[in-house]
Amino acid sequence: MKKTVVCNNGHGRLQAGKVSPELGFDHPLRDRIMKECRSKQFRLFEWWSNREIVRHICHQLSGSDVKCVNLVPDPENYGKFLEGRVARANKIKHDLYVAVHSDAFGDGGFNHVRGHHVFYAAHQEIAQIFNNNIAAILPESQNRGIVLNPSPKAPSRFYELHGTKMPAVLTETLFYTSELDCRLLLDSIEIIAQGHVNAILEWSKL
């Protein structure tokens, strides 16, 4: 039987999530990001990159043995409250919930903390599959491993991991507070999506 995965682009315009400081490099996506994020500065907005990654995940899974549901295809106008997103997911018959995020560290300025990790509450094996596949497609990124939530490393309960009815993982890929990671993220949106897709296809065979 074909499995269904729900992908949530962690934030929306009404709940923008993390925002980088002003970026000091140019990029082909600069004008588009500034226009779509209504920003006068070239900054990276988590809701925007999450949206792009999820779009590519669903596109890359089309025609596969896994059905992908983009939980919030209209993140510019929907999704202020996380509880509403999880409630929407719980009404959909699905087998796995994947929350797509990026991370930040410190007081909001740039620093040297970089890398990627995956959070889980009850499904360590699935989290490890995602971590392995993202590490494989981003070999230049620091692999920060998998993290149980809640735990000393992540004491606050992540609602997406504990409010969903199905198994869930939450990916945090690269840091908005690292300019090097911001550049890598912008250069790797489709690659990051492919890492998630590879993980989903591996999970689907369990």
Side-chain angles (χ1 to χ4, degrees):
M1 182 179 296
K2 194 169 187 175
K3 292 185 176 180
T4 298
V5 59
V6 166
C7 290
N8 178 35
N9 40 297
H11 297 272
R13 188 190 297 280
L14 299 178
Q15 189 191 40
K18 305 166 192 77
V19 182
S20 78
E22 185 173 7
L23 299 171
F25 59 86
D26 199 8
H27 195 274
L29 290 171
R30 173 191 173 106
D31 291 344
R32 180 184 165 196
I33 290 171
M34 292 177 65
K35 179 180 179 181
E36 294 184 5
C37 295
R38 304 169 189 169
S39 176
K40 294 181 180 180
Q41 295 180 323
F42 180 32
R43 306 170 73 190
L44 188 53
F45 290 71
E46 187 184 7
W47 77 267
W48 186 91
S49 57
N50 289 345
R51 180 196 68 182
E52 295 301 297
I53 292 168
V54 168
R55 283 179 175 177
H56 283 289
I57 291 171
C58 290
H59 175 72
Q60 292 173 24
L61 281 172
S62 61
S64 75
D65 291 333
V66 176
K67 178 183 178 182
C68 182
V69 176
N70 186 343
L71 182 63
V72 187
D74 55 341
E76 293 89 341
N77 301 306
Y78 181 89
K80 184 174 182 179
F81 301 108
L82 189 56
E83 292 85 350
R85 289 172 176 242
V86 170
R88 176 185 279 196
N90 285 337
K91 293 178 181 178
I92 300 170
K93 186 177 180 180
H94 66 286
D95 303 285
L96 178 67
Y97 180 100
V98 178
V100 176
H101 291 258
S102 292
D103 215 334
F105 180 80
D107 60 5
F110 284 129
N111 56 62
H112 297 296
V113 177
R114 304 182 63 192
H116 61 88
H117 40 191
V118 179
F119 292 85
Y120 69 98
H123 299 278
Q124 181 177 355
E125 181 182 6
I126 300 175
Q128 192 64 62
I129 288 172
F130 274 81
N131 185 72
N132 291 347
N133 279 279
I134 293 171
I137 54 90
L138 288 177
E140 66 272 50
S141 173
Q142 179 182 349
N143 183 355
R144 307 178 72 89
I146 62 173
V147 181
L148 175 65
N149 174 256
S151 69
K153 288 186 177 180
S156 299
R157 289 171 65 88
F158 295 166
Y159 192 76
E160 287 175 282
L161 296 179
H162 297 276
T164 48
K165 293 180 179 179
M166 293 296 179
V169 294
L170 188 152
T171 63
E172 295 272 12
T173 308
L174 306 178
F175 278 73
Y176 277 71
T177 42
S178 163
E179 192 165 41
L180 290 174
D181 266 12
C182 286
R183 183 190 288 271
L184 179 58
L185 196 157
L186 287 173
D187 289 341
S188 307
I189 287 173
E190 291 186 41
I191 294 172
I192 294 168
Q194 186 64 59
H196 285 72
V197 168
N198 294 346
I200 290 166
L201 293 176
E202 182 178 342
W203 154 80
S204 72
K205 295 179 175 62
L206 293 177

